Amino acid sequence: MAGELKKLLIEAYRESDYSGSPADSFSVMFNPTGFSQKYEVEYEDRQGAGDSSSPQVFGKIKPQEYSFEFLFDGTGTAADKVDVQQTVGRFLAVTGKLDGDIHRPMYLKIAWGALLSKCVLKSAETTYTLFKPDGYPLRAKVKATFAENVEDALRVAEERKNSPDLTHRRIVHEGDHLSLMCHQIYGDPRYYLEVARFNRLKNYRRLAVGQELLFPPLKDLSHA
């Protein structure tokens, strides 16, 4: 039904491909008022001696992170009374506790509105803000960060196989030039000398038709 309130749901799976039914689940008491989504690209500096600047060489795209703040209230004023400490413990048991069957925390799936993320718990910080006279907590906030988890089969399928961060094998054809091949693979023809050294070419200007050449990951060329 349109407009129906749906609570954020966390499902926990033992299989990394999320097959089968969830082994456990947790529904939050109150939906968060917002969440943050972090997208980060990692680059490596390649600065030579005497250079005033360095090219930013692509390293990897880090898993996206989602951060939420969950409220747990045991006063009974806004929801049914609960034991706050036990409820927080239940949340941590589902999301981050070591599971004896797989010897690691379970794989999570967060579903809320348009958000559907396969992820794992990265961190959780609990702050207790209200207490009973005997010291037992009545209210808590949990700041939780989840890191996106892409299973291997999907990750491999999504990789660009012409990436300059992978090793490539090329067979020399008539009219091929090393600088042109470097441009096609690395996007820069100036790496031809490094590739020539890597392949121990005696004459990089005269490539033999049918010869196999290796083009190493871009980050390894400086060590060729």
Side-chain angles (χ1 to χ4, degrees):
M1 182 183 299
E4 181 182 357
L5 177 65
K6 290 188 177 182
K7 298 287 187 68
L8 183 147
L9 177 66
I10 303 173
E11 294 179 330
Y13 294 78
R14 290 194 172 95
E15 299 296 330
S16 60
D17 61 357
Y18 295 84
S19 59
S21 301
D24 211 339
S25 65
F26 184 89
S27 181
V28 300
M29 287 190 68
F30 307 99
N31 282 330
T33 57
F35 68 91
S36 64
Q37 181 177 355
K38 183 179 180 181
Y39 185 88
E40 186 175 358
V41 182
E42 191 172 274
Y43 293 90
E44 301 174 10
D45 290 337
R46 301 290 186 190
Q47 185 169 1
D51 291 342
S52 60
S53 61
S54 62
Q56 295 295 305
V57 179
F58 172 73
K60 62 182 178 181
I61 297 176
K62 301 180 72 173
Q64 291 190 63
E65 293 183 1
Y66 299 90
S67 296
F68 300 86
E69 185 172 89
F70 299 120
L71 175 64
F72 299 88
D73 190 300
T75 63
T77 56
D80 293 338
K81 279 189 176 182
V82 297
D83 185 306
V84 169
Q85 201 161 14
Q86 287 184 2
T87 307
V88 171
R90 168 75 181 148
F91 167 79
L92 295 175
V94 172
T95 59
K97 183 181 178 181
L98 188 70
D99 183 84
D101 291 337
I102 60 175
H103 307 291
R104 56 156 294 156
M106 288 191 280
Y107 304 93
L108 307 177
K109 185 186 291 184
I110 297 178
W112 185 42
L115 174 64
L116 179 61
S117 175
K118 295 177 179 179
C119 56
V120 292
L121 179 68
K122 187 174 180 180
S123 66
E125 179 182 350
T126 305
T127 303
Y128 296 100
T129 59
L130 184 66
F131 300 87
K132 298 178 182 178
D134 58 6
Y136 282 90
L138 279 172
R139 189 172 294 152
K141 290 182 180 179
V142 176
K143 294 181 179 179
T145 298
F146 301 87
E148 191 175 49
N149 177 57
V150 180
E151 54 267 39
D152 286 342
L154 180 59
R155 175 184 56 78
V156 171
E158 290 180 343
E159 275 185 351
R160 291 185 59 194
K161 296 306 178 185
N162 60 337
S163 168
D165 299 300
L166 301 174
T167 297
H168 299 270
R169 296 176 183 268
R170 292 289 187 271
I171 302 298
V172 177
H173 297 91
E174 188 70 38
D176 279 344
H177 298 280
L178 195 57
S179 59
L180 177 60
M181 298 172 81
C182 288
H183 175 72
Q184 292 171 340
I185 293 172
Y186 302 120
D188 192 331
R190 293 175 295 178
Y191 289 105
Y192 69 94
L193 288 177
E194 288 89 340
V195 173
R197 284 196 294 270
F198 186 86
N199 287 272
R200 297 186 174 90
L201 298 179
K202 294 181 179 179
N203 190 341
Y204 64 83
R205 290 188 176 89
R206 293 185 180 180
L207 302 179
V209 174
Q211 179 181 8
E212 184 182 69
L213 297 177
L214 293 179
F215 293 79
L218 191 58
K219 60 186 175 63
D220 294 339
L221 278 181
S222 59
H223 306 296

